[in-house]
Amino acid sequence: MEFTIKSGSPEKQRSACVVVGVFDNRKLSLSAELIDRASNGYVSEIIRRGDMEGKLGSTLLLHNVRGTLADRVLLVGLGKERDFRDKEFRTAMRAAVKLLNETGSYEAVIYLTEEKVKRREVGWRVEHAVVVAMEAVYRFDQMKSQPTEVRRPLRKLTLSVPQRSDLAAGEKAAARGLAIAHGMDLARDLGNLPGNVCTPTLLGQRAAELAQQFPQLKVEVLERAQIEALGMGSFLSVASGSEEPPRFIVIEFMNSPKKARPYVLVGKGVTFDTGGISIKPAPDMDHMKYDMCGAASVLGAMRAVAELAPPISVVALVPACENMPSGRATKPGDIVKSMSGQTVEILNTDAEGRLILADALTYAERYDPEAVVDVATLTGAMVIALGNVACGVFSNSDALARELVAAGEEAYDRGWQLPLWDDYHEGLASNFADFANVAGRAGGSITAACFLSKFAKKYDWAHLDIAGIAYREGKEKGATGRPVALLVTWLLAQEGAAP
Ligand code: BES
Ligand code: MN
Ligand code: ZN
């Protein structure tokens, strides 16, 4: 979809549709007021009749409104004016775009971006309008033999800003939003692909294609022999049960003019997690195709970074493999040696994410990174703790954790910090190796993060446990593209923060 920024009066827009807001209870926004005046009170008449109360997310499509140059006027309910915040803005925007996409308009001019949102500037509104619009029209039908055509899909949105002096900020924000949305689309597509298509090999190919598309990205895809040579015994112990060969994907975007240290993103790329010999129960096991969503979000973030090309350096590392039971699979009690030299007693082969991330975190040391952030669908306990709203944020640096939480807040892609206190490490003790890969059930997300922290001692590090936010179940089943927005917002904030 294409986006443009404009400043001008709604009644003068020659467009298939002009979209204006109505507050609860029946209060016209400024742009709705202008349409009302141009049409001699037509909008207020309709509202008096009770067809649009202004309830958040409600819509009413009007045709041939006199005094305006547009074919249609879409009224969108904004809810109570004093409650119009981040979530409400996004809800109204989503409702408008969903409706536009299902009606005859292939383009529209949207005035919702003119409405004041508490504590947010025009740039925030434009960026989020773009992200939400792209999210709303996203479809995944590449696996259907007969994709259902959208009759007249929405092709172009014009977002209105209050003043001409807002145009520059609006355009910059639209570019940011579009890059984030493209990254999220990539993450969603990869996440939604089934395990028999989205293999470690495919992830490697997609990374290589990304570098073709964005020549500033340098990609290297390591195969089994190279992974062995690096001594990644922990990663390889997970891959060993599968016929699918593992991949270790490295993507570099080195664009810091002063050669500042890079930010490293690490994504868990388990393309299917059966649990291995500690096999999972059958119900909902299909969800484990999403166990590469950390990797997908890291690739999505790299795509956004490449598109925007900020003056910072960013590296993505993706250990990718399948976790399968077989005669060659790792068994409970097996002890492996990680790339760091530390040995691990694998008491549960289903705690595999931490085993592959451990070696990637050690590999990250070679970049002398400014900070490392790993992203992983790591624990079921995370879904219990924070549900589908926020991801868990764990860090050995409270300052870094605060940055990530703030970025999540700004991106409406939130994370919440949990502790990594020493007391939580005790459960990982092993009589036979340096430590075990699991502790008890209690505090499972925290002990998993504690395990990772043992491999992230040489730099500032944070871990995002995205098990609850990476995908949705039920009617809207599918990958969400989260936390691409959080990651990109955080990285772009570093552009200003760099020394
Ligand atoms: N990929 C799972 C975590 C997961 C569970 C993600 C549910 C999304 C939804 C991970 O590899 C796993 O199996 N974790 C175990 C750890 C346990 C064995 C200590 C878990 O959470 O049960
Ligand atoms: Mn598992
Ligand atoms: Zn897993």
Side-chain angles (χ1 to χ4, degrees):
M1 190 155 44
E2 194 192 314
F3 294 88
T4 52
I5 309 299
K6 193 167 178 177
S7 176
S9 224
E11 74 280 10
K12 296 194 184 121
Q13 303 307 316
R14 228 175 258 290
S15 166
C17 190
V18 167
V19 182
V20 297
V22 178
F23 288 106
D24 193 358
N25 190 347
R26 306 183 183 185
K27 180 173 185 282
L28 300 186
S29 64
L30 178 63
S31 33
E33 187 79 55
L34 291 171
I35 299 270
D36 190 45
R37 260 183 248 161
S39 63
N40 281 325
Y42 179 60
V43 176
S44 41
E45 185 189 322
I46 282 180
I47 283 181
R48 254 196 314 279
R49 285 188 199 145
D51 289 334
M52 165 53 81
E53 305 277 349
K55 291 260 175 306
L56 182 63
S58 61
T59 49
L60 182 66
L61 189 63
L62 310 174
H63 292 268
N64 307 321
V65 177
R66 272 168 292 127
T68 71
L69 297 180
D71 302 337
R72 305 169 187 79
V73 171
L74 176 61
L75 303 182
V76 180
L78 304 179
K80 293 258 184 284
E81 190 168 12
R82 68 179 134 73
D83 297 336
F84 196 64
R85 298 196 177 82
D86 296 6
K87 183 183 167 68
E88 288 73 20
F89 174 82
R90 291 170 56 100
T91 302
M93 190 64 208
R94 188 175 300 115
V97 173
K98 288 238 180 209
L99 189 121
L100 288 168
N101 201 37
E102 283 156 15
T103 56
S105 317
Y106 68 90
E107 57 88 30
V109 188
I110 297 193
Y111 279 80
L112 305 183
T113 36
E114 293 207 3
E115 302 305 327
K116 284 208 170 60
V117 178
K118 285 219 173 63
R119 291 175 38 238
R120 301 299 187 193
E121 302 297 325
V122 64
W124 186 95
R125 302 192 306 255
V126 169
E127 180 181 322
H128 283 253
V130 172
V131 171
V132 169
M134 292 285 286
E135 240 171 13
V137 302
Y138 174 85
R139 291 152 56 86
F140 182 81
D141 47 20
Q142 54 181 284
M143 302 305 292
K144 303 250 193 208
S145 60
Q146 253 123 18
T148 40
E149 294 286 318
V150 176
R151 209 167 35 83
R152 299 186 70 176
L154 197 53
R155 292 228 179 76
K156 185 176 170 218
L157 285 181
T158 302
L159 303 174
S160 180
V161 294
Q163 285 162 5
R164 298 194 58 80
S165 58
D166 295 324
L167 287 172
E171 269 149 27
K172 193 159 176 242
R176 265 176 73 127
L178 197 57
I180 289 172
H182 287 151
M184 289 176 72
D185 280 354
L186 173 62
R188 293 177 87 173
D189 281 349
L190 290 173
N192 285 331
L193 282 172
N196 61 329
V197 175
C198 184
T199 57
T201 307
L202 181 108
L203 285 179
Q205 286 166 352
R206 289 295 163 90
E209 285 165 26
L210 208 54
Q212 299 257 297
Q213 199 180 347
F214 298 96
Q216 264 186 298
L217 297 178
K218 297 278 168 286
V219 172
E220 203 179 352
V221 180
L222 308 185
E223 306 196 348
R224 193 192 298 271
Q226 295 160 289
I227 300 167
E228 278 167 4
L230 285 165
M232 292 186 167
S234 186
F235 174 28
L236 287 168
S237 75
V238 178
S240 68
S242 173
E243 301 283 332
E244 289 292 340
R247 294 286 185 264
F248 190 86
I249 303 166
V250 182
I251 312 177
E252 297 178 349
F253 173 81
M254 297 302 199
N255 199 41
S256 168
K258 292 179 225 147
K259 299 252 187 300
R261 296 149 78 196
Y263 299 89
V264 177
L265 305 177
V266 179
K268 172 178 173 182
V270 174
T271 58
F272 197 84
D273 180 13
T274 65
I277 297 298
S278 314
I279 199 161
K280 288 181 180 293
D284 288 341
M285 207 208 269
D286 64 293
H287 293 179
M288 288 303 117
K289 74 170 184 176
Y290 298 117
D291 216 17
M292 35 55 69
C293 282
S297 71
V298 162
L299 293 180
M302 289 310 277
R303 194 199 183 287
V305 164
E307 189 172 315
L308 294 169
I312 55 172
S313 293
V314 187
V315 176
L317 303 177
V318 172
C321 68
E322 229 181 30
N323 187 20
M324 295 287 279
S326 84
R328 261 199 268 278
T330 295
K331 304 169 291 298
D334 285 1
I335 295 177
V336 297
K337 186 171 192 158
S338 68
M339 185 180 175
S340 72
Q342 299 176 105
T343 59
V344 181
E345 183 184 14
I346 300 176
L347 292 177
N348 189 322
T349 65
D350 198 10
E352 85 297 342
R354 61 197 81 182
L355 294 171
I356 74 170
L357 292 171
D359 285 336
L361 289 171
T362 302
Y363 188 92
E365 287 173 9
R366 68 175 58 196
Y367 289 99
D368 183 25
E370 183 67 34
V372 177
V373 178
D374 78 67
V375 189
T377 46
L378 204 64
T379 63
M382 200 66 243
V383 192
I384 306 299
L386 295 179
N388 311 113
V389 176
C391 64
V393 178
F394 304 81
S395 183
N396 59 12
S397 154
D398 281 335
L400 175 59
R402 271 195 300 276
E403 284 176 22
L404 289 163
V405 170
E409 190 77 44
E410 188 182 332
Y412 206 80
D413 184 4
R414 289 166 297 184
W416 195 252
Q417 193 181 359
L418 283 90
L420 278 177
W421 295 314
D422 279 349
D423 314 62
Y424 286 106
H425 283 256
E426 288 156 17
L428 293 169
S430 162
N431 283 356
F432 308 109
D434 294 348
F435 35 82
N437 75 328
V438 290
R441 263 166 58 83
S445 305
I446 303 179
T447 54
C450 286
F451 179 93
L452 295 179
S453 73
K454 297 175 186 297
F455 300 86
K457 291 195 178 134
K458 304 219 170 124
Y459 43 68
D460 283 355
W461 155 83
H463 156 60
L464 305 181
D465 191 334
I466 61 164
I469 63 158
Y471 63 94
R472 273 188 289 266
E473 300 173 39
K475 201 166 127 284
E476 299 259 281
K477 186 170 181 173
T480 59
R482 291 178 69 185
V484 168
L486 182 162
L487 292 171
V488 176
T489 302
W490 173 69
L491 286 168
L492 293 180
Q494 309 306 313
E495 177 181 344

